[in-house]
């Protein structure tokens, strides 16, 4: 008798229930009533090797950065689940003093964790050419956030001016991105980039106690925090790679919050006494990129033919796959039509190439495809439900005569190894007030899609022209028109396919009230965490 996935799922769920029952019966239940200021142990799958908030830009890093550091502005998650408006944070406000110059006013009385008072020199250094956008900057991954910046200057102790090469009406929105993190210039100059990443100092609600990238990070409450006493006395981010071990530790009281509940374990979590499930879609969209290039490894790459790319997209019933994978927790977007972009979001806009197998066959017939095997490189386990969804898609492509083979590998270095035809990836829609980042920064002529080791396409002249106009346009209505024209050109070229809005899951014990906003980072300050 063959054992199908449903049988396996029932077996795993049954095993977890027995494990929970055993732990509870053994008296290893949940912690006693919370202290006045409890500690939190957060079991995570991994930690990034550095805690410099720009050098360490990553999903695993962002679970820590926002607790150690503050940004100049913040988003209004207390009023809007998508956080679509800016509110001052380390900055008290900002003004546009000329078409290309913004003046930022800095909050006084803010202390770094070593007791040094933050001032405009720290802000200017954190956003400086030396650190982010020189030819060889200290933190080169920040260059994309500083795009277009040509001058950052501390005018006095509480005022910083930022000048851009062209008018940029949306510049303040970058103050909530890694560009807006404020670091202590005196300490960074003293220890350097690498040492700072291992023992960072910020202005955030928690200050570092210890950090071992292979084991755990511990931070304690910074009671001189300018924005109110932190709700927890200590936070420990503990690496626990296996979900089953994380869950067992949560039930036993060893951990208070755990990351990454698999879809087939959500019911077990929800039905476990004293344990709560948090499931939330976030500003990240798993997809795949088409390799549209003729390279030495793929001189006759069939995906150079846009008709084949459109046939592949039209043949996949993405909404049904998303529903099967996530239920009502997520959705399949029309390209670059994301709710976190406020007025740019149109809930009625549809993709130009939706599921339509008959139309897919028409495009396939127009292509030069002759049944060649197409390799789809996928990093094992990195995107929840991705491999399962990929298997469904391979079957749908097979039905119309497209031959795709899954190549599931253990890390991104192997996934990026050529030759490949399709490549797993995700695109952040991280807030910048409009679709500037996911549409232009991530697909434009200086993006990794065009210039990185895993590059997969060359933008058309029209895409570049529209993007440059979009980047420089200051009139909001015209900017929106250019955005829609850019999206149309992207869809006409079809260099990739979006799958769904990503979903992150956590489990946590009773006595904790916590949420994350609609973002991938986690934060444990008074806005997001309290104890019952």
């Amino acid at each position: 008798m063959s054992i199908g996935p449903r049988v396996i799922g029932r077996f795993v769920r049954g095993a977890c229930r027995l494990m929970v029952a055993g732990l509870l019966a053994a008296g290893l239940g949940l912690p006693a009533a919370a202290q006045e200021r409890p500690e939190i142990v957060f079991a995570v799958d991994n930690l990034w090797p550095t805690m410099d908030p720009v050098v360490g830009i990553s999903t695993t890093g962002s679970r820590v950065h926002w607790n150690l550091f503050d940004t100049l502005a913040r988003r209004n998650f207390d009023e809007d689940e998508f956080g679509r408006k800016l509110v001052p944070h380390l900055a008290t406000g900002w003004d546009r003093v000329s078409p290309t110059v913004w003046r930022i006013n800095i909050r006084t009385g803010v202390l770094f964790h070593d007791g040094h008072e933050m001032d405009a020199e720290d802000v200017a250094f954190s956003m400086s050419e030396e650190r982010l956008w020189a030819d060889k900057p200290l933190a080169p991954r920040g260059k994309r956030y500083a795009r277009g910046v040509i001058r950052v200057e501390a005018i006095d102790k509480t005022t910083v001016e930022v000048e851009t090469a062209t008018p940029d009406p949306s510049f303040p929105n970058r103050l909530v991105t890694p560009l807006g993190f404020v670091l202590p210039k005196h300490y960074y100059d003293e220890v350097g980039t690498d040492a700072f990443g291992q023992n960072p100092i910020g202005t955030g609600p928690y200050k570092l106690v210890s950090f071992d990238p292979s084991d755990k990070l511990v931070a304690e409450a910074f009671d001189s925090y300018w924005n109110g006493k932190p709700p927890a006395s200590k936070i420990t981010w503990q690496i626990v790679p296996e979900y089953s071990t994380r869950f067992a530790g949560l039930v036993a009281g060893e951990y208070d919050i755990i990351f990454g509940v698999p879809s087939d374990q959500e019911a077990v979590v929800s039905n476990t006494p004293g344990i709560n499930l948090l499931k939330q879609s976030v500003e990240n969209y798993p997809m795949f990129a088409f390799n549209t290039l003729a390279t030495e490894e793929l001189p006759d790459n069939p995906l150079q033919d846009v008709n084949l790319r459109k046939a592949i997209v039209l043949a996949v019933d993405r909404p049904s796959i998303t529903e099967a994978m996530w239920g009502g927790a997520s959705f399949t977007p029309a390209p670059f039509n994301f709710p976190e972009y406020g007025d740019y979001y149109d809930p009625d806009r549809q993709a130009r190439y939706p599921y339509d197998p008959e139309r897919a066959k028409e495009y396939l017939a127009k292509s030069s495809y002759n049944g060649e095997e197409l390799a789809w490189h996928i990093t094992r386990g990195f995107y929840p439900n991705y491999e399962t969804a990929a298997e469904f898609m391979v079957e749908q492509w097979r039905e119309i005569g497209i031959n795709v083979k899954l190549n599931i590998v253990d890390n991104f270095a192997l996934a990026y190894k050529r030759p490949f035809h399709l490549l797993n990836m995700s695109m952040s829609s991280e807030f910048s007030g409009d679709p500037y980042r996911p549409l232009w920064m991530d697909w434009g002529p200086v993006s990794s899609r065009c210039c990185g080791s895993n590059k997969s396409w060359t933008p058309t002249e029209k895409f570049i022209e529209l993007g440059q106009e979009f980047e420089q346009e200051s009139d909001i209505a015209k900017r929106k028109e250019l955005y829609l024209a850019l999206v149309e050109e992207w869809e006409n070229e079809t260099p990739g396919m979006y799958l769904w809005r990503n979903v992150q899951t956590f489990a946590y014990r009773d006595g904790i009230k916590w949420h994350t906003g609609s973002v991938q980072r986690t934060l444990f300050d008074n806005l997001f965490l309290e104890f019952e």
Side-chain angles (χ1 to χ4, degrees), residues 18 75 116 163 202 217 252 254 269 279 318 324 336 369 388 411 424 452 462 501 527 531:
L18 289 173
R75 297 164 62 183
H116 181 92
E163 183 177 358
L217 184 147
E254 185 178 356
V269 170
K279 183 177 181 180
R318 285 173 286 168
F336 307 102
Y369 180 66
T388 303
N411 55 59
N424 74 174
K462 183 176 181 180
R501 194 175 199 258
L527 179 61
F531 296 94

Side-chain angles (χ1 to χ4, degrees), residues 153 301 332 396 434-435 460 508:
E153 183 180 355
N301 181 5
T332 294
Q396 291 188 315
D434 61 25
T460 63
Y508 59 95

Side-chain angles (χ1 to χ4, degrees), residues 277-344:
L277 176 70
L278 174 62
K279 183 177 181 180
Q280 193 164 30
S281 68
V282 295
E283 296 171 353
N284 181 275
Y285 295 80
M287 62 183 307
F288 62 74
F290 288 113
N291 181 7
T292 67
L293 307 174
T295 62
E296 182 178 347
E297 301 89 353
L298 284 176
D300 300 315
N301 181 5
L303 285 173
Q304 293 177 87
D305 190 331
V306 69
N307 292 306
L308 176 58
R309 303 198 298 267
K310 290 177 179 177
I312 289 174
V313 171
L314 286 161
V316 176
D317 187 357
R318 285 173 286 168
S320 293
I321 290 174
T322 299
E323 176 66 24
M325 296 295 103
W326 297 109
S330 187
F331 62 91
T332 294
F336 307 102
N337 192 32
F338 306 144
E340 51 268 31
Y341 286 106
D343 292 341
Y344 288 83

Side-chain angles (χ1 to χ4, degrees), residues 50-57 122 124-143 146 183-197:
T50 175
M51 284 301 137
D52 182 306
V54 173
V55 178
I57 293 170
D122 299 302
F125 165 73
S126 301
M127 303 172 72
S128 67
E129 178 179 8
E130 173 192 9
R131 176 160 159 74
L132 300 181
W133 42 280
D135 289 338
K136 294 183 178 180
L138 298 171
R141 299 186 71 193
K143 185 173 290 190
L183 280 56
K185 183 180 186 302
H186 69 284
Y187 178 65
Y188 204 104
D189 285 345
E190 176 187 339
V191 301
T193 302
D194 293 342
F196 183 87

Side-chain angles (χ1 to χ4, degrees), residues 88-346:
H89 200 49
L90 289 182
T92 59
W94 43 84
D95 297 291
R96 195 177 186 184
V97 296
S98 81
T100 59
V101 175
W102 288 88
R103 187 166 290 164
I104 304 169
N105 300 313
I106 309 304
R107 192 176 298 277
T108 59
V110 174
L111 299 180
F112 286 106
H113 298 151
D114 63 353
H116 181 92
E117 184 173 356
M118 179 199 74
D119 61 24
E121 291 288 347
D122 299 302
V123 175
F125 165 73
S126 301
M127 303 172 72
S128 67
E129 178 179 8
E130 173 192 9
R131 176 160 159 74
L132 300 181
W133 42 280
D135 289 338
K136 294 183 178 180
L138 298 171
R141 299 186 71 193
K143 185 173 290 190
R144 60 182 175 174
Y145 298 100
R147 183 174 171 83
V149 175
I150 59 173
R151 178 176 64 90
V152 181
E153 183 180 355
I155 303 303
D156 56 37
K157 187 176 180 180
T158 61
T159 311
V160 172
E161 280 191 354
V162 180
E163 183 177 358
T164 56
T166 58
D168 184 357
S170 66
F171 174 79
N173 295 300
R174 286 196 255 173
L175 302 181
V176 300
T177 74
L179 183 73
F181 280 121
V182 179
L183 280 56
K185 183 180 186 302
H186 69 284
Y187 178 65
Y188 204 104
D189 285 345
E190 176 187 339
V191 301
T193 302
D194 293 342
F196 183 87
Q198 298 306 303
N199 190 23
I201 288 175
T203 64
Y206 299 91
K207 62 181 179 180
L208 188 79
V209 174
S210 63
F211 174 41
D212 178 347
S214 66
D215 182 26
K216 64 184 175 183
L217 184 147
V218 180
E220 65 184 15
F222 181 48
D223 285 340
S224 297
Y225 184 53
W226 65 273
N227 201 27
K229 191 175 181 180
S233 61
K234 186 194 300 185
I235 309 287
T236 299
W237 287 260
Q238 177 67 59
I239 296 177
V240 185
E242 295 296 328
Y243 167 74
S244 60
T245 308
R246 294 197 295 271
F247 183 60
L250 178 66
V251 174
E254 185 178 356
Y255 312 128
D256 302 289
I257 302 172
I258 66 171
F259 169 76
V261 179
S263 297
D264 64 355
Q265 296 303 304
E266 290 174 6
V268 174
V269 170
S270 297
N271 292 325
T272 300
I275 303 298
N276 305 281
L277 176 70
L278 174 62
K279 183 177 181 180
Q280 193 164 30
S281 68
V282 295
E283 296 171 353
N284 181 275
Y285 295 80
M287 62 183 307
F288 62 74
F290 288 113
N291 181 7
T292 67
L293 307 174
T295 62
E296 182 178 347
E297 301 89 353
L298 284 176
D300 300 315
N301 181 5
L303 285 173
Q304 293 177 87
D305 190 331
V306 69
N307 292 306
L308 176 58
R309 303 198 298 267
K310 290 177 179 177
I312 289 174
V313 171
L314 286 161
V316 176
D317 187 357
R318 285 173 286 168
S320 293
I321 290 174
T322 299
E323 176 66 24
M325 296 295 103
W326 297 109
S330 187
F331 62 91
T332 294
F336 307 102
N337 192 32
F338 306 144
E340 51 268 31
Y341 286 106
D343 292 341
Y344 288 83
Y345 174 61
D346 179 359

